[in-house]
């Protein structure tokens, strides 16, 4: 028997983007009914399977939903990041989403945990086998299009011989017997987190081997803060640097000189630009690691040896290989957010997916035709290479101009902490903010034009 669920929207995915879309939709479409489905046991998406020492790599204010500030906007008062805004940890984020579901969303949202959406407006419980469907009038919202892969939920991408010790990064916090060597695989945020976590707990740098297939560019966390003078000043410098750059490598070197971009090894020109944020204290720790393997991705692990794409290396016989390699940022083709079959959530600005999902929810509630919605809210990609980073910023700047030209969207966005580029109502103007705005006005257009030229990109 199939149970019919009375809903206006079927949101598939109860992670960050599904929650942000639903929150904004509910706020601006009174009485709307939402059925939310997720294969996991609760709301929170990939955070339910994240490693226990993970934190947001950005300020908590930039994450979550539009209606409810995550973390209360606190600034860290002590420690190596004193003066920077706090970054929520896994338990805080999961509690935040749970409170939203059982609190402000409870009258509009019916949540179906442990269910798979099988298409045709139908979903099935993985626990009971019970089938559910929603009416034909119900719009389907795909909040999983960019769902990340999690090392704990997938087998390693390399072969593991008998006797080799390989664990997902989640298990690192539960090690009971210290090995002679840790081998951390991966170039992204998860790998840097694992290395920093080990070093901060007293592991000798010489006891860590970092398999880094590509060197990454990372953003200095100090310039990605919910302070208009700081954030808009960073964007202005980025656009000014783009205007003057002769190549993408030259642009990133200029941004490094300006204190915006960071790289671990200044003797290597990075080719990876997913650009998570990193604090300078973390950078200092990472630079203590001398055993860095740049022989491509791992092909197989056996006791005492790694086989890689471009060679092999010896490791300690009891080495613990920490698997941090997974596609945390997905790169499927950009598609219109509004299509006849479904709404496909994607970032709108450069990065900041929660803001992108929230603005899509607002636009869905306040605009009529899908054509009108797509005209003011187009998708922006996640980056991987330098070219993709440039494309992300091109699309993000173009999109910001499009939705910023709509008076109501502009007013809404200025009141939403998720929007990194906002100037909050009543914010006191400072000489630094005036300078940032003046430079943005001067360099935004030429900067985007230069990025188009450097990336060979067209919209």
């Amino acid at each position: 028997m199939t149970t019919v669920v009375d809903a206006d929207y079927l949101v598939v995915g109860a992670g960050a983007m599904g929650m942000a879309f639903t929150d904004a939709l509910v706020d601006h479409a009174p009485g709307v009914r939402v059925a939310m489905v997720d294969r996991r046991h609760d709301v929170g998406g990939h955070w339910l399977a994240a490693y226990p020492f993970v934190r947001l790599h950005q300020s908590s204010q930039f994450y979550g939903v539009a209606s409810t500030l995550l973390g209360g906007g606190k600034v860290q008062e002590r420690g190596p990041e004193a003066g920077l805004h706090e970054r929520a940890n896994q338990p805080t984020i999961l509690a935040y989403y749970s409170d939203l579901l059982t609190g402000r969303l409870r009258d509009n949202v019916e949540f179906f945990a442990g269910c798979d959406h099988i298409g045709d407006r139908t979903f099935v419980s993985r626990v009971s086998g019970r089938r559910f469907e929603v009416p034909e009038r119900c719009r389907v919202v795909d909040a999983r299009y960019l769902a990340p892969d999690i090392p704990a939920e997938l087998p390693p991408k390399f072969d593991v011989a008998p006797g080799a010790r390989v664990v997902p990064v989640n298990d690192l916090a539960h090690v009971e017997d210290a090995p002679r060597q840790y081998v951390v695989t991966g170039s992204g945020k998860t790998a840097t987190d694992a290395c920093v976590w080990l070093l901060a707990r007293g592991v000798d740098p010489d006891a860590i081997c970092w398999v880094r297939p590509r060197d990454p560019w990372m953003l200095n966390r100090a310039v990605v803060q919910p302070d208009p003078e700081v954030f808009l000043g960073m964007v202005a410098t980025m656009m000014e640097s783009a205007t003057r750059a002769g190549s993408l490598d030259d642009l990133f070197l200029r941004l490094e000189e300006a204190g915006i971009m960071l790289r671990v090894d200044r003797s290597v020109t990075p080719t990876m630009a997913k650009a998570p944020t990193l604090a300078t204290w973390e950078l200092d720790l990472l630079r203590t690691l001398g055993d860095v393997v740049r022989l491509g991705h791992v092909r197989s692990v056996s006791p005492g040896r790694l086989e890689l794409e471009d060679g092999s290396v010896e490791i300690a016989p009891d080495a613990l290989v920490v698997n941090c390699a997974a596609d945390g940022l997905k790169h499927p083709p950009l598609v219109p957010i509004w299509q006849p079959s479904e709404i496909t959530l994607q970032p709108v600005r450069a990065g900041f997916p929660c803001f992108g999902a929230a603005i899509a929810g607002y636009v869905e509630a306040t605009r009529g035709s899908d054509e009108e919605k797509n005209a003011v809210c187009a998708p922006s990609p996640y980056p991987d290479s330098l070219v993709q980073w440039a494309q992300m910023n091109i699309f993000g700047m173009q999109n910001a101009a499009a939705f910023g030209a709509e008076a109501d969207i502009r007013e809404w966005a200025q009141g939403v902490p998720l929007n990194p580029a906002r100037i909050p109502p009543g914010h006191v103007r400072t000489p630094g903010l005036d300078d940032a705005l003046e430079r943005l006005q001067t360099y935004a257009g030429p900067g985007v034009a230069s990025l188009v030229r450097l990336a060979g990109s067209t919209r």
Side-chain angles (χ1 to χ4, degrees):
M1 181 178 293
T2 298
T3 301
V4 177
V5 179
D6 183 22
D8 305 300
Y9 292 85
L10 173 61
V11 176
V12 184
M17 297 189 79
M19 291 292 284
F21 174 89
T22 301
D23 171 83
L25 175 71
V26 165
D27 257 4
H28 298 279
V32 70
R33 297 291 304 167
V34 177
M36 180 175 283
V37 173
D38 200 285
R39 64 182 179 83
R40 294 186 170 97
H41 67 278
D42 204 347
V43 291
H46 74 276
W47 289 99
L48 291 163
Y51 44 101
F53 52 90
V54 68
R55 283 185 179 270
L56 288 171
H57 68 95
Q58 59 193 2
S59 164
S60 296
Q61 287 197 41
F62 296 150
Y63 205 81
V65 304
S67 70
T68 307
L69 190 65
L70 171 60
K74 298 174 185 175
V75 174
Q76 299 179 63
E77 297 180 355
R78 58 180 62 88
E81 294 186 25
L84 302 185
H85 281 252
E86 71 162 10
R87 299 180 293 123
N89 60 15
Q90 182 196 37
T92 300
I93 294 168
L94 291 177
Y96 167 84
Y97 282 128
S98 180
D99 289 346
L100 284 168
L101 180 66
T102 58
R104 70 178 308 276
L105 298 179
R106 67 173 180 237
D107 293 333
N108 299 86
V109 177
E110 188 174 4
F111 179 51
F112 297 86
C115 289
D116 287 321
H117 178 239
I118 60 174
D120 295 327
R121 293 181 170 78
T122 302
F123 53 96
V124 177
S125 170
R126 306 175 80 180
V127 178
S128 67
R130 188 177 174 187
R131 294 172 65 90
F132 302 85
E133 66 178 25
V134 293
E136 281 293 321
R137 61 176 170 79
C138 182
R139 292 210 75 167
V140 177
V141 181
D142 182 2
R144 306 168 303 167
Y145 191 62
L146 298 172
D149 290 339
I150 305 299
E153 296 183 327
L154 297 170
K157 294 183 177 182
F158 45 81
D159 295 331
V160 180
R165 300 177 65 195
V166 177
V167 298
V169 63
N170 296 56
D171 291 354
L172 190 57
H174 307 296
V175 171
E176 296 183 357
D177 297 309
R180 276 180 285 175
Q181 185 181 39
Y182 291 93
V183 178
V184 178
T185 68
S187 302
K189 177 185 180 295
T190 302
T192 60
D193 279 354
C195 291
V196 168
W197 190 86
L198 289 169
L199 292 166
R201 277 146 190 81
V203 175
D204 192 308
D206 291 339
I208 300 174
C209 170
W210 187 358
V211 178
R212 203 156 76 213
R214 297 181 295 162
D215 272 53
W217 281 112
M218 293 167 281
L219 281 164
N220 185 347
R221 189 172 296 136
V223 300
V224 187
Q225 294 291 304
D227 178 333
E229 181 175 332
V230 174
F231 187 84
L232 294 176
M234 179 271 293
V235 177
T237 300
M238 187 182 297
M239 290 297 104
E240 182 176 357
S241 299
T243 302
R244 304 181 189 283
S247 67
L248 287 177
D249 281 337
D250 179 34
L251 169 57
F252 276 78
L253 293 175
R254 288 172 181 268
L255 295 176
E256 180 182 41
E257 187 65 24
I260 293 174
M261 286 292 174
L262 305 173
R263 53 178 164 162
V264 179
D265 188 340
R266 297 193 67 158
S267 70
V268 176
T269 301
T271 59
M272 180 174 165
K274 296 182 179 182
T277 72
L278 190 76
T280 53
W281 70 271
E282 294 173 307
L283 180 66
D284 291 340
L285 284 177
L286 294 174
R287 284 177 171 168
T288 66
L289 299 177
D291 188 2
V292 178
V293 176
R294 295 185 178 91
L295 294 173
H297 293 90
V298 177
R299 292 300 192 197
S300 65
V301 179
S302 56
R305 180 168 291 274
L306 297 178
E307 297 291 338
L308 303 105
E309 291 172 315
D310 300 320
S312 62
V313 295
E314 292 185 0
I315 56 176
D318 71 334
L320 184 65
V321 178
V322 184
N323 178 27
C324 301
D327 295 327
L329 294 183
K330 293 296 185 69
H331 307 95
L334 293 180
V335 298
I337 293 176
W338 284 269
Q339 301 176 76
S341 58
E342 61 190 10
I343 299 170
T344 306
L345 300 181
Q346 296 153 88
V348 172
R349 289 195 66 90
F352 303 100
C354 293
F355 177 67
I359 199 171
Y362 176 86
V363 169
E364 170 63 19
T366 59
R367 297 298 188 273
S369 70
D370 286 355
E371 182 180 8
E372 182 184 6
K373 296 169 189 175
N374 281 319
V376 298
C377 196
S380 171
Y382 284 138
D384 184 58
S385 64
L386 274 63
V387 167
Q388 290 171 329
W389 178 90
Q391 292 171 336
M392 174 188 71
N393 282 280
I394 293 164
F395 292 1
M397 293 291 285
Q398 291 173 341
N399 293 342
F403 66 70
E406 302 285 318
D408 66 310
I409 301 178
R410 183 172 64 251
E411 181 180 0
W412 173 83
Q414 290 295 331
V416 175
L418 295 178
N419 178 12
R422 77 174 184 140
I423 302 175
H427 184 81
V428 177
R429 294 288 285 263
T430 64
L433 179 55
D434 289 339
D435 173 71
L437 293 173
E438 182 179 342
R439 289 191 295 125
L440 266 176
Q441 186 173 15
T442 301
Y443 292 108
V448 170
S450 182
L451 286 174
V452 170
R453 173 179 56 82
L454 297 176
S457 173
T458 57
R459 180 81 185 200

